[in-house]
């Protein structure tokens, strides 16, 4: 589907469309280059990007997940607020949902330890996500079971406040995983079992050191990772089990992740997939090659690949710097989205899901307008570019 066709059908006013229609209607041979240049400049400055569509045009916009259904499920991270405030977009454009924070240990575990803490797990928010999915025919990715962030400190300590031994922590981790995965058995099609255990590109170590998990299991980190996957498998044998990480396409970190995955596979651990988070930027990182090589490398391990937390901000570094995108930025962002979706489509045999980390720019975790719908819920340039990546 081309943008020109979309505009004709939907009467949606985009700069993209206007430029292209303009080009089509003009008789170029009769216009001197100078006039053409002036015309383009004027039309560019006069056009806005996508105007806020009225009700009818919003209805007419194609559903993103339906357009992509031949390739892979398109998903989105939702939360207790957006399932109410943004349910129009979620229902229409995404097949899969991931709870942004509602199924994390921090949300489910109680605030303090008691020996019967397992009876005090709080599933209220997680259950709401499942109910929402059921009522709206969505599939659910579970996020996340084992993570060094958003896990209460008491989880790593005994009743006296002393650090748990690796054996005691293993036992606690397994009972927690079985309780959570067991509760949602059959309702969550894929779980991020272990998240972000590998250190960043610049570090020499394989495993990150600022993790209570890695500190307690120092030198034998692979043991708790293995046990986590085994516990999840036991609790729901049908769920697809993923390792999930950011920076997973950078060559150095990728090599470290791959060596961990190879070790797990060699041990016969039930792992099904690699989650490439996809918190990327349009100022250059990551390169097309790194993204494509990564999909191939992870897939060559015999794993499913999913892009689990896609958003494309402006700056690679300074990610928390407030940014309002200029028109030129929006165009660059759209080009990057198009480029990455072209790669995903090319490797659709290896990819079993692509999930955006948030619905609209104002509910993203980073203030750089990195998503495909703007603050007014309108589709951005990036949205149309992703449809354009589908080709004719
Ligand atoms: O989007 C999440 C944000 O609301 C939380 O405050 C944050 C806490 O660390 O976690 C964010 O989600 C993260 C995800 O769970 C794991 N990968 C990185 C995501 C962005 O930080």
């Amino acid at each position: 589907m081309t943008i020109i066709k979309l505009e004709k059908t939907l009467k949606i006013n985009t700069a993209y469309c206007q430029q292209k229609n303009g080009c089509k209607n003009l008789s170029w041979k009769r216009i001197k280059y100078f006039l053409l240049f002036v015309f383009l400049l004027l039309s560019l400055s006069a056009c806005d990007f996508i105007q806020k569509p009225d009700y009818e045009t919003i209805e007419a916009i194609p559903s993103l997940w339906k357009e992509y259904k031949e390739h892979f499920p398109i998903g989105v991270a939702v939360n207790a607020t957006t399932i109410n405030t943004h349910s129009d977009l979620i229902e229409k454009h995404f097949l899969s949902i991931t709870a942004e924070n509602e199924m994390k240990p921090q949300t489910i575990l109680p605030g303090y330890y008691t020996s019967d803490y397992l009876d005090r797990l709080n599933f209220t928010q997680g259950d709401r996500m499942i109910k929402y999915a059921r009522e709206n025919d969505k599939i659910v990715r579970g996020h996340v079971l084992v993570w060094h962030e958003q896990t209460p400190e008491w989880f790593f300590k005994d009743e006296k406040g002393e650090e748990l031994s690796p054996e005691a922590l293993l036992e606690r981790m397994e009972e927690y995983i079985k309780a959570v995965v067991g509760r949602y058995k059959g309702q969550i099609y894929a779980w991020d079992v272990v998240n972000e255990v590998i250190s960043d590109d610049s570090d020499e170590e394989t495993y990150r050191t600022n993790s209570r998990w890695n500190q307690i299991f120092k030198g034998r980190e692979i043991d708790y990772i293995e046990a986590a996957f085994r516990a999840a498998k036991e609790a729901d044998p049908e769920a697809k089990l993923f390792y999930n990480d950011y920076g997973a396409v950078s060559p150095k970190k990728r090599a470290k992740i791959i060596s961990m995955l190879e070790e797990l596979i060699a041990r016969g651990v039930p792992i099904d997939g690699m989650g490439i988070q996809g918190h990327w930027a349009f100022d250059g990182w990551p390169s097309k090659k790194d993204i494509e090589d990564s999909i191939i490398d992870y897939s060559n391990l015999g794993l499913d690949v999913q892009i689990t937390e896609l958003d494309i901000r402006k700056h690679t570094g300074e990610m928390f710097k407030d940014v309002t995108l200029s028109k030129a930025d929006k165009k660059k962002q759209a080009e990057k989205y198009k480029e990455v979706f072209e790669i995903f489509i090319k490797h659709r045999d290896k990819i079993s899901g692509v999930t955006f980390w948030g619905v609209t720019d104002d509910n993203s975790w980073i203030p750089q307008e990195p998503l495909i719908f703007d603050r007014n819920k309108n589709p951005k340039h990036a949205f149309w570019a992703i449809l354009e990546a589908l080709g004719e």
Side-chain angles (χ1 to χ4, degrees):
M1 180 180 320
T2 66
I3 283 174
I4 296 172
K5 272 187 200 156
L6 274 174
E7 198 232 13
K8 274 188 187 159
T9 329
L10 308 174
K11 297 193 174 64
I12 288 170
N13 176 21
T14 73
Y16 231 62
C17 304
Q18 288 191 343
Q19 284 172 53
K20 292 202 174 188
N21 276 344
C23 293
K24 218 174 143 196
N25 297 334
L26 283 170
S27 169
W28 299 111
K29 285 179 190 160
R30 279 183 265 141
I31 297 176
K32 296 196 170 165
Y33 286 117
F34 174 74
L35 284 178
L36 171 63
F37 179 70
V38 172
F39 167 79
L40 283 174
L41 265 186
L42 284 176
S43 59
L44 256 182
S45 60
C47 302
D48 201 351
F49 291 104
I50 293 159
Q51 302 294 316
K52 189 175 181 189
D54 59 26
Y55 180 75
E56 278 181 17
T57 54
I58 264 202
E59 284 295 290
I61 291 168
S63 151
L64 190 59
W65 84 258
K66 286 186 183 154
E67 293 295 318
Y68 267 87
K69 72 172 189 257
E70 305 299 323
H71 299 324
F72 34 73
I74 298 271
V76 67
V78 300
N79 58 45
T81 305
T82 56
I83 57 168
N84 294 310
T85 54
H86 291 67
S87 128
D88 46 355
L89 292 180
I90 299 165
E91 280 172 38
K92 176 159 186 172
H93 293 289
F94 306 97
L95 174 62
S96 166
I97 60 167
T98 305
E100 189 177 2
N101 291 300
E102 289 72 5
M103 293 183 184
K104 288 175 175 171
Q106 186 84 56
T107 308
I108 294 177
L109 285 165
Y112 58 93
Y113 175 80
T114 54
S115 56
D116 66 346
Y117 82 91
L118 280 180
D119 298 332
R120 297 191 295 120
L121 297 181
N122 183 350
F123 290 110
T124 315
Q125 296 201 46
D127 289 357
R128 282 182 65 198
M129 300 293 141
I130 296 288
K131 183 165 175 274
Y132 178 84
R134 207 174 34 238
E135 289 172 354
N136 293 287
D137 297 323
K138 303 297 174 201
I139 55 174
V140 185
R141 295 195 83 256
H143 178 82
V144 52
L145 299 169
V146 175
W147 191 23
H148 64 287
E149 281 188 36
Q150 289 185 289
T151 304
E153 184 55 25
W154 69 256
F155 196 74
F156 302 97
K157 293 182 173 163
D158 66 16
E159 62 281 2
K160 293 187 204 121
E162 306 282 329
E163 184 170 285
L164 288 180
S165 66
E167 290 66 32
L169 179 56
L170 210 62
E171 210 176 294
R172 186 167 286 176
M173 178 194 78
E174 286 169 342
E175 65 191 15
Y176 172 76
I177 290 178
K178 285 179 191 169
V180 178
V181 178
R183 182 175 185 93
Y184 296 126
K185 183 175 177 187
Q187 301 178 83
I188 288 189
Y189 89 97
W191 268 105
D192 289 330
V193 179
V194 176
N195 197 38
E196 302 176 8
V197 300
I198 299 298
S199 69
D200 291 338
D201 240 27
S202 50
D203 299 322
E204 283 311 313
E205 309 83 10
T206 297
Y207 290 94
R208 67 165 60 249
T209 51
N210 64 340
S211 151
R212 303 291 283 125
W213 293 100
N214 290 349
Q215 288 159 4
I216 293 175
F217 279 88
K218 191 161 174 47
R220 45 176 288 211
E221 295 88 347
I222 197 80
D223 290 348
Y224 81 83
I225 299 167
E226 168 172 6
F229 279 94
R230 291 197 187 281
K233 184 75 178 173
E234 203 181 312
D236 188 352
E238 297 302 317
K240 297 281 175 212
L241 306 181
F242 280 75
Y243 173 69
N244 190 48
D245 213 333
Y246 68 87
V249 301
S250 293
K252 214 170 152 199
K253 185 160 177 178
R254 191 194 329 157
K256 294 193 260 187
I257 294 173
I258 286 175
S259 80
M260 177 196 68
L261 294 172
E262 282 173 340
E263 204 173 343
L264 291 173
I265 291 164
R267 288 179 177 212
V269 173
I271 176 169
D272 299 291
M274 172 65 203
I276 296 173
Q277 290 186 5
H279 296 295
W280 294 333
F282 60 83
D283 70 359
W285 177 87
S287 68
K288 218 170 144 177
K289 180 177 186 324
D290 280 351
I291 296 174
E292 190 162 13
D293 287 355
S294 300
I295 294 168
I296 294 167
D297 287 354
Y298 292 125
S299 171
N300 280 343
L301 298 173
L303 298 174
D304 247 25
V305 175
Q306 292 202 357
I307 313 301
T308 53
E309 305 182 14
L310 184 61
D311 49 29
I312 304 189
R313 61 183 184 271
K314 180 168 181 176
H315 300 294
T316 300
E318 302 183 297
M319 59 201 293
F320 293 109
K321 187 173 162 188
D322 254 298
V323 169
T324 302
L325 300 186
S326 66
K327 286 184 181 178
D329 286 337
K330 287 180 192 165
K331 195 153 181 289
K332 280 191 209 146
Q333 183 183 50
E335 279 159 8
K336 186 79 179 183
Y337 265 113
K338 185 172 176 200
E339 178 181 290
V340 303
F341 271 83
E342 280 169 350
I343 299 172
F344 301 159
I345 292 167
K346 179 171 169 197
H347 294 285
R348 60 186 176 271
D349 57 322
K350 308 172 184 66
I351 293 178
S352 64
V354 175
T355 291
F356 292 86
W357 204 243
V359 191
T360 53
D361 280 338
D362 53 328
N363 52 59
S364 167
W365 67 294
I366 20 175
Q368 296 199 3
E369 305 185 348
L371 295 168
I372 58 171
F373 292 99
D374 71 16
R375 292 162 201 274
N376 298 317
K377 297 189 179 176
N378 290 324
K380 291 164 61 181
H381 234 46
F383 174 89
W384 301 111
I386 291 171
L387 288 182
E388 207 176 48
L390 287 163
E392 288 300 322

